[in-house]
Amino acid sequence: MKPKKFVQYDDVQKHLDTLGLFHMNFGLDRMKRALRALHLEILPFRAVQVVGTNGKGSTSSFIASLAQAYQCKTGLYTSPHFLSPRERIRINGRMIDKALWVECANDALEAEPDLTYFELLTVMALLAFQRCQVQLAVIEAGLGGHYDATTALAVDAVAITPIDLDHEAILGHSIQAIAEDKSHAIRNQIASFTGLQQPEAEAILKKRAETEHSSLDIVSISKLPTIHLGLWGSYQKSNAALALHTWHYILTLMQQDPDPAADIAGLENVRFAGRFQYIKSRFPYPPLILDGAHNPHGLQAFQKNLQDLNIVPSALIFSCLKDKDVDSMLPMIRAIAMNNKIYVPLIPHNERAANPQALAEKLGDQAVPCASIKDALFEIQINRNIHQQNQPVCILGSLYLLSEYYRIFPQDLEFA
């Protein structure tokens, strides 16, 4: 079957819609065929793959920001997106233009017509980075490590963020099973770096590194400069330290020396929407904190950050996807909300979204199901009392919930 040819951006979007955002077809054969056809088996730039459960996007953004502070032209590939798939492929912080998007889509599908949604975007990212002559590509894995499209790439280094329970239906129902899957990102003689892991995950990563004759450095936060990071949250120190250590390794490959001033600039100037993102109050809405914490590890980190900053939320807006381990999250969600209301909106146009009524019932009497996030904000607006005016409302959970917020307030998206 002859590949489709796209003329304009909307043609590519329509094709992506037919592939299904959540459709998976395990195996790396399609990616390998595409890379061979496009002569990308050896990448024409340095590349870092970032895998793990929590903090992949933040760590990727830290690495990219550090590279840019060194005047290194940098491609960044992340997922998911909030409003447009174009957010996933950026060069020096900017989305690529629509003409290049169409060109890369055509060439990717000509090389391999059967690419899945995520595979197609991954190949398009590589083509865009090649054509724009980036010096470094930072590639965030989508899901897992063993069969993730990004594991087909010949990267120079792998950075592994904390591994925790998530996507259990696909990756396994234990830390060990999930760590085993993600450990396959560690490949033959490729340098690997990890932040602090739970003991069972660390043991599996070490075993895999030994099997693959790969170094595995365990990075602590002790050598991180004492500065105000561009991303809020005490947990971001671990992500920043992992990013800095990985970037310094890439510098050795580029035969450059570290520059402490550039390191500080890169760590301070990083921006990434939806990660403990504070939005100032604007009439008639209260101040907000947006965060994509949607599993126990993420919620625990979010709660600790509220405590460290002495923030007491006046209300919570929470929802997640139905394949998440909601029962294990319930105590943490209640603890974050304290005795305040928890509004549970519907995440529309998403086949994996949790049912608001069912989720609210699990959360108990303080939870209120809502038809939309806009309705939740309206309810909060009319029910807030004078003593809560300066207390922020936390919008928490699935990144797909946050995307509904950005549809209402696109100006709060930090993409260029």
Side-chain angles (χ1 to χ4, degrees), residues 218-288:
I218 298 173
V219 180
S220 76
I221 65 172
S222 59
K223 294 184 180 180
L224 191 68
T226 305
I227 57 172
H228 292 292
L229 298 173
L231 300 180
W232 282 25
S234 56
Y235 55 88
Q236 292 290 4
K237 292 179 181 178
S238 176
N239 296 330
L242 177 60
L244 183 62
H245 199 84
T246 304
W247 167 242
H248 280 181
Y249 172 75
I250 296 296
L251 277 177
T252 66
L253 300 182
M254 293 178 166
Q255 299 183 322
Q256 292 186 47
D257 295 324
D259 178 349
D263 288 342
I264 290 171
L267 295 172
E268 287 185 337
N269 294 330
V270 64
R271 297 291 180 268
F272 197 34
R275 275 64 174 183
F276 212 90
Q277 181 183 3
Y278 183 82
I279 310 291
K280 291 181 180 179
S281 174
R282 56 193 167 207
F283 184 82
Y285 298 105
L288 304 168

Side-chain angles (χ1 to χ4, degrees), residues 69-378:
Y70 279 74
Q71 306 304 309
C72 173
K73 192 171 186 180
T74 305
L76 177 60
Y77 176 60
T78 59
S79 61
H81 59 269
F82 289 114
L83 300 182
S84 165
R86 288 181 61 219
E87 296 163 19
R88 299 183 182 220
I89 304 173
R90 284 169 279 157
I91 296 174
N92 282 353
R94 294 186 174 276
M95 296 184 286
I96 64 173
D97 64 44
K98 291 184 177 181
L100 180 57
W101 184 270
V102 172
E103 178 185 314
C104 292
N106 278 325
D107 290 349
L109 284 180
E110 185 176 350
E112 174 53 54
D114 296 325
L115 293 170
T116 66
Y117 190 108
F118 186 75
E119 289 169 347
L120 174 55
L121 291 177
T122 303
V123 176
M124 287 170 60
L126 299 178
L127 288 169
F129 297 158
Q130 178 191 47
R131 284 161 199 189
C132 295
Q133 298 183 313
V134 305
Q135 297 162 278
L136 172 71
V138 185
I139 311 287
E140 180 190 352
L143 192 154
H146 195 175
Y147 295 114
D148 192 85
T150 63
T151 301
L153 311 184
V155 298
D156 298 286
V158 177
I160 307 169
T161 68
I163 294 170
D164 198 54
L165 295 173
D166 203 7
H167 301 292
E168 293 99 315
I170 299 166
L171 302 179
H173 293 277
S174 66
I175 296 293
Q176 293 94 324
I178 294 172
E180 179 63 37
D181 184 278
K182 292 180 187 290
S183 75
H184 282 265
I186 299 174
R187 336 218 246 289
N188 187 35
Q189 298 183 18
I190 294 175
S192 301
F193 306 91
T194 179
L196 296 178
Q197 300 283 357
Q198 298 184 55
E200 56 266 51
E202 184 179 308
I204 288 168
L205 295 178
K206 285 180 175 178
K207 182 179 178 181
R208 177 74 181 177
E210 185 178 342
T211 301
E212 292 294 320
H213 308 289
S214 168
S215 61
L216 178 67
D217 288 0
I218 298 173
V219 180
S220 76
I221 65 172
S222 59
K223 294 184 180 180
L224 191 68
T226 305
I227 57 172
H228 292 292
L229 298 173
L231 300 180
W232 282 25
S234 56
Y235 55 88
Q236 292 290 4
K237 292 179 181 178
S238 176
N239 296 330
L242 177 60
L244 183 62
H245 199 84
T246 304
W247 167 242
H248 280 181
Y249 172 75
I250 296 296
L251 277 177
T252 66
L253 300 182
M254 293 178 166
Q255 299 183 322
Q256 292 186 47
D257 295 324
D259 178 349
D263 288 342
I264 290 171
L267 295 172
E268 287 185 337
N269 294 330
V270 64
R271 297 291 180 268
F272 197 34
R275 275 64 174 183
F276 212 90
Q277 181 183 3
Y278 183 82
I279 310 291
K280 291 181 180 179
S281 174
R282 56 193 167 207
F283 184 82
Y285 298 105
L288 304 168
I289 296 175
L290 279 62
D291 196 271
H294 58 268
N295 55 42
H297 184 274
L299 288 168
Q300 190 175 40
F302 182 84
Q303 183 182 11
K304 183 179 186 305
N305 202 41
L306 287 179
Q307 292 168 346
D308 291 346
L309 296 169
N310 198 28
I311 293 173
V312 178
S314 59
L316 187 64
I317 299 176
F318 175 85
S319 193
C320 64
L321 302 183
K322 61 188 175 187
D323 56 4
K324 301 300 177 185
D325 182 10
V326 175
D327 291 340
S328 67
M329 295 191 281
L330 295 176
M332 294 180 224
I333 298 163
R334 294 191 197 103
I336 291 168
M338 298 187 175
N339 294 320
N340 296 308
K341 289 288 186 185
I342 305 170
Y343 295 88
V344 185
L346 173 69
I347 303 175
H349 317 300
N350 193 311
E351 62 199 39
R352 291 168 58 202
N355 179 286
Q357 188 69 42
L359 184 53
E361 287 176 5
K362 283 194 171 191
L363 284 165
D365 293 342
Q366 69 191 107
V368 180
C370 299
S372 68
I373 193 169
K374 192 171 185 179
D375 286 354
L377 288 169
F378 178 75

